[in-house]
Amino acid sequence: MNINASLFVQMVVFFIGCWITMKFIWPPLIRAIEERQNKIAEGLAAADKSTEALAEAQAKGKEIEAEARARATTIVSDGEKRGAMIVENAKEQAQVEADRIIANAKAEAAQEMQRAREQLRDEVAALAVAGAQQILAREVDKSVHTQLLEQLKAKL
């Protein structure tokens, strides 16, 4: 065999191998590579979108948290105001009730004093009448009258 013929046959086999490779092997390999590239690109895009979505969610969460804190502060201050108002109303009602009780007690004390005075007047009048009866019933004697008056003083 001649080296030229052998080189020519090798060249023909090489070209046939290249043609078969280009026709049957390369297209599935290139499709697989392109599919893999697309999947990787889609994964990277999804990762970017999820990063953006996470940033948005965190921002929204901070806004919601700030609103909740502001609302909680408002509710607490309203509660404190309402509590202070309730305490103030209770104090006013207690003062009104205390004034009413004091007025009732004063009125009752005045009535009791008036009753005691009337009772004392009645007793003094009864004693005076009793004393006058005793004086008139006995004869007129200065020492006896003085003694009766002393007894009246002791009873008063």
Side-chain angles (χ1 to χ4, degrees), residues 64 77 93 126:
I64 291 171
S77 71
Q93 289 176 353

Side-chain angles (χ1 to χ4, degrees), residues 30-44:
I30 291 186
R31 259 194 315 265
I33 289 173
E34 287 174 352
E35 287 175 8
R36 182 73 177 149
Q37 285 176 343
N38 288 338
K39 285 182 183 179
I40 290 172
E42 288 173 2
L44 290 174

Side-chain angles (χ1 to χ4, degrees), residues 32-94:
I33 289 173
E34 287 174 352
E35 287 175 8
R36 182 73 177 149
Q37 285 176 343
N38 288 338
K39 285 182 183 179
I40 290 172
E42 288 173 2
L44 290 174
D48 289 341
K49 285 182 183 179
S50 65
T51 303
E52 291 173 6
L54 177 63
E56 279 182 31
Q58 287 176 340
K60 194 176 244 183
K62 287 180 181 178
E63 286 177 18
I64 291 171
E65 183 180 353
E67 288 175 11
R69 281 194 177 138
R71 188 171 178 204
T73 303
T74 304
I75 289 171
V76 167
S77 71
D78 288 347
E80 288 173 353
K81 288 178 186 175
R82 180 74 175 141
M85 192 170 24
I86 289 171
V87 167
E88 190 63 33
N89 287 342
K91 284 181 183 179
E92 289 174 5
Q93 289 176 353

Side-chain angles (χ1 to χ4, degrees), residues 9-148:
V9 170
Q10 284 179 357
M11 208 153 94
V12 169
V13 170
F14 177 74
F15 283 120
I16 290 174
C18 282
W19 180 77
I20 289 174
T21 301
M22 291 171 97
K23 184 77 173 172
F24 298 108
I25 296 176
W26 278 102
L29 282 178
I30 291 186
R31 259 194 315 265
I33 289 173
E34 287 174 352
E35 287 175 8
R36 182 73 177 149
Q37 285 176 343
N38 288 338
K39 285 182 183 179
I40 290 172
E42 288 173 2
L44 290 174
D48 289 341
K49 285 182 183 179
S50 65
T51 303
E52 291 173 6
L54 177 63
E56 279 182 31
Q58 287 176 340
K60 194 176 244 183
K62 287 180 181 178
E63 286 177 18
I64 291 171
E65 183 180 353
E67 288 175 11
R69 281 194 177 138
R71 188 171 178 204
T73 303
T74 304
I75 289 171
V76 167
S77 71
D78 288 347
E80 288 173 353
K81 288 178 186 175
R82 180 74 175 141
M85 192 170 24
I86 289 171
V87 167
E88 190 63 33
N89 287 342
K91 284 181 183 179
E92 289 174 5
Q93 289 176 353
Q95 186 63 40
V96 167
E97 185 67 19
D99 291 344
R100 185 185 63 77
I101 291 171
I102 289 171
N104 286 343
K106 284 181 180 179
E108 192 175 315
Q111 287 176 355
E112 285 296 320
M113 243 168 88
Q114 186 64 29
R115 280 189 216 124
R117 282 183 185 159
E118 288 176 10
Q119 188 178 15
L120 186 59
R121 281 186 193 137
D122 290 342
E123 287 179 15
V124 167
L127 285 174
V129 169
Q133 283 177 349
Q134 287 178 1
I135 288 174
L136 291 175
R138 290 193 179 178
E139 61 186 59
V140 178
D141 187 10
K142 187 175 183 178
S143 64
V144 173
H145 290 268
T146 307
Q147 188 181 19
L148 286 174

